[in-house]
Amino acid sequence: MLSRPARAALLGATLLPGCVFITAEDQRARVDDDNDGFSVLDDCDDRRATVHPGAPERCDGLDNDCDGERDEGLAPDADGDGVGGVAAGACQVGWVATTGDCDDTDPAVFPGQTERCNGRNDGCRPGWQPADELGVVTWTPDGGAPVDRSADFPTDSRDAPVRVELAAAGRLDICRGAAPYRVRIVQGDVAALHIIGRAVPLDSGDTGVPPDSADSADSADSTDSGDTGDTGDTDRLAAADTWPVLNGAASTTAGPTVQLSGTGGRAVLSGLVLTGGVTTATVPGGGLHLSGLASAELSALVITGNHASAGSVGGAGLYAGSVGPLELADSRLAHNTGGDDTAGGGALVEFSGLRMVSVDFESNRAATGGGLAFYGSGFRLDARAVSLHDNWGNRYGGGLYLGPGTDSFVTGLGATANRADAGGAVYTEGNLSCFGQETGLVSAWDDNWADTGGATAAIAGSGALSFAGCQAAGAAVAATSPIAACSAAPDLALFARRGDTTAAAATITGTAFYCSVTTCHGEVAVAP
């Protein structure tokens, strides 16, 4: 029989594996009086749930994160994005512990934010440069938050440009890509749509794709295949080589590079190079098609290397139909070509009021209106500081064609080296008034050419011509015109014999009259 000590030892050995000894330290580790998930052992103040290791610091005089400091690392969050900006002075209630906001006035700017195409450092990245936005495209729906759509704008889609569709209302900001974007933008129900291109200079010194040679090898079929582009960009377009290029060229299917239409909508486009588009049998406008809009505002555009196929209406570069009003400013339409019987090599505008300021039409070609064709009885064209240079109309109006019943008022219109069968610079069946020196802007129509008549201007049908301060020189006609130039009114400056103006500078079958800016002086006799 075991002795009492032996039995006690045996019992202790038997019970030892299942016994739990709770020390005072263990008891304290189980205490969390403020229920913040940290025991009294780890919590520097177990009476307050806002105080524990890792808690966000607050401006309350307490060491919220238990690091031995009070109210440290706080900054004001003026824009409410949860990230503080620059702190100054003692903290205040409402300051936040997450800091580093480089613009505390904009809730969309904070560290880690996705980069947007807006010329700003959205993510507060150290060393940010404008070139960081290369290839960034941002869509902001009407009343919504910005969305990154860079993936929808590839720079290499081979023979099939990507079709990009947008909502009816919103803003698309397109930053320049490393190469032209191979896309076609289509929206058939425009309400209020902005498409804005943004220049992106590169730190490497690369100036980008020249406006007139933007992926020209992929441009649409051109009857002027030897064209190498223009080198005479005006100052206002000097930065165009850093604009984003949209190239809609395809070897299999035709279509405009940008096509916008709608009933009563408004479209705004700016800062883009549009190239590679081709009209279809039913959709005119190779580079840009606009139709049915209540208004359209176009500025800082280069529309180049687009084509209007034979059998289409035309508008190789730009087509606008039933848009009122259409405004075009600080833009260039160059090297757009139309096939036989098409109208408007640079632009075709019909049934739309048109206002133009500082626009260049250069080296465009079509059957009628090599530079611009304007149709629509009762519609008005107003142009100021517009250049027509080296455009070709196979039939009528090398630089400009004006349809029956239109009214046009041009100030500071320069027309040089344009050519057509009739109306080298202008062919008008509507009413045209040209103003020059007395407005402070020179209107000089020089060195234009016609095959049969009207090297400077041809006025036909019910067309009427009014000039004040406009000049012409160096016009030439290949064949003998049946009607001589006006000789009865020496102050009709278009026909004043300045330089070597030929006797057949104008072909007039309608009415010619002379007006100053404010007063008309009646009809002018035309020499037989």
Side-chain angles (χ1 to χ4, degrees):
M1 185 175 186
L2 294 174
S3 64
R4 180 178 293 179
R7 290 197 303 270
L10 179 60
L11 179 62
T14 303
L15 297 176
L16 184 61
C19 291
V20 176
F21 297 96
I22 301 176
T23 66
E25 192 75 6
D26 292 334
Q27 290 179 333
R28 295 185 66 201
R30 295 171 182 266
V31 175
D32 182 9
D33 288 336
D34 56 11
N35 295 315
D36 60 5
F38 291 84
S39 73
V40 68
L41 291 178
D42 300 317
D43 200 333
C44 58
D45 187 343
D46 204 33
R47 298 166 300 171
R48 297 180 175 87
T50 60
V51 176
H52 57 77
E57 196 66 40
R58 300 183 180 186
C59 185
D60 54 9
L62 302 175
D63 180 12
N64 301 94
D65 56 3
C66 297
D67 66 351
E69 298 184 63
R70 298 182 179 183
D71 300 339
E72 82 283 0
L74 299 174
D77 181 19
D79 55 14
D81 59 9
V83 183
V86 178
C91 72
Q92 300 179 25
V93 175
W95 284 24
V96 297
T98 303
T99 61
D101 198 336
C102 54
D103 185 350
D104 203 30
T105 65
D106 188 343
V109 175
F110 53 83
Q113 170 69 295
T114 301
E115 192 65 37
R116 294 176 292 166
C117 176
N118 57 8
R120 304 180 64 185
N121 185 4
D122 301 289
C124 298
R125 295 168 178 80
W128 181 90
Q129 298 290 333
D132 291 344
E133 292 186 353
L134 190 72
V136 176
V137 181
T138 304
W139 166 252
T140 306
D142 191 21
V147 178
D148 181 30
R149 296 202 56 176
S150 304
D152 296 332
F153 283 74
T155 55
D156 183 7
S157 55
R158 303 300 178 184
D159 292 332
V162 172
R163 177 175 169 133
V164 178
E165 296 187 3
L166 305 173
R171 178 184 176 114
L172 185 69
D173 289 282
I174 306 173
C175 281
R176 173 195 170 194
Y181 293 113
R182 296 299 302 277
V183 297
R184 287 179 180 165
I185 298 177
V186 180
Q187 174 51 253
D189 188 24
V190 170
L193 186 60
H194 291 66
I195 302 178
I196 309 299
R198 294 188 175 275
V200 178
L202 299 183
D203 294 338
S204 64
D206 177 17
T207 58
V209 182
D212 283 336
S213 59
D215 209 4
S216 58
D218 293 327
S219 295
D221 296 341
S222 172
T223 58
D224 191 10
S225 59
D227 185 44
T228 58
D230 174 64
T231 58
D233 288 346
T234 56
D235 290 342
R236 65 180 177 275
L237 296 174
D241 58 1
T242 62
W243 295 353
V245 178
L246 305 184
N247 186 348
S251 62
T252 55
T253 59
T257 299
V258 176
Q259 180 179 342
L260 306 177
S261 58
T263 304
R266 175 173 178 259
V268 178
L269 285 83
S270 180
L272 296 166
V273 178
L274 306 180
T275 190
V278 182
T279 63
T280 70
T282 58
V283 182
L288 174 60
H289 170 100
L290 304 171
S291 60
L293 301 172
S295 67
E297 301 171 21
L298 313 178
S299 63
L301 298 179
V302 173
I303 302 177
T304 183
N306 302 285
H307 185 65
S309 301
S312 67
V313 174
L318 162 67
Y319 171 82
S322 300
V323 176
L326 171 65
E327 298 183 357
L328 177 62
D330 297 319
S331 296
R332 186 162 182 259
L333 296 88
H335 307 289
N336 302 288
T337 61
D340 294 341
D341 297 327
T342 61
L348 168 60
V349 178
E350 56 181 1
F351 309 110
S352 307
L354 174 59
R355 295 197 292 263
M356 295 191 297
V357 178
S358 299
V359 179
D360 297 339
F361 294 86
E362 182 170 358
S363 300
N364 302 288
R365 179 173 178 171
T368 300
L372 167 65
F374 183 71
Y375 290 88
S377 180
F379 285 88
R380 172 167 169 159
L381 163 66
D382 290 282
R384 181 180 179 87
V386 171
S387 170
L388 303 169
H389 176 68
D390 195 29
N391 300 287
W392 189 359
N394 292 353
R395 297 176 61 193
Y396 305 131
L400 174 64
Y401 171 83
L402 302 172
T406 57
D407 293 296
S408 300
F409 300 84
V410 297
T411 302
L413 176 66
T416 59
N418 301 287
R419 178 175 179 172
D421 180 67
V426 173
Y427 189 103
T428 180
E429 297 184 75
N431 302 315
L432 171 62
S433 297
C434 177
F435 305 106
Q437 292 172 327
E438 62 187 270
T439 65
L441 293 173
V442 175
S443 289
W445 300 17
D446 297 339
D447 302 321
N448 297 288
W449 175 277
D451 291 330
T452 61
T456 299
I459 301 91
S462 60
L465 181 65
S466 167
F467 273 83
C470 300
Q471 304 173 359
V477 178
T480 301
S481 173
I483 302 178
C486 174
S487 59
D491 54 355
L492 189 60
L494 173 64
F495 307 118
R497 300 200 174 208
R498 180 171 67 85
D500 297 325
T501 305
T502 68
T507 299
I508 302 174
T509 58
T511 302
F513 59 95
Y514 169 72
C515 292
S516 64
V517 173
T518 58
T519 306
C520 284
H521 301 281
E523 295 186 11
V524 173
V526 177

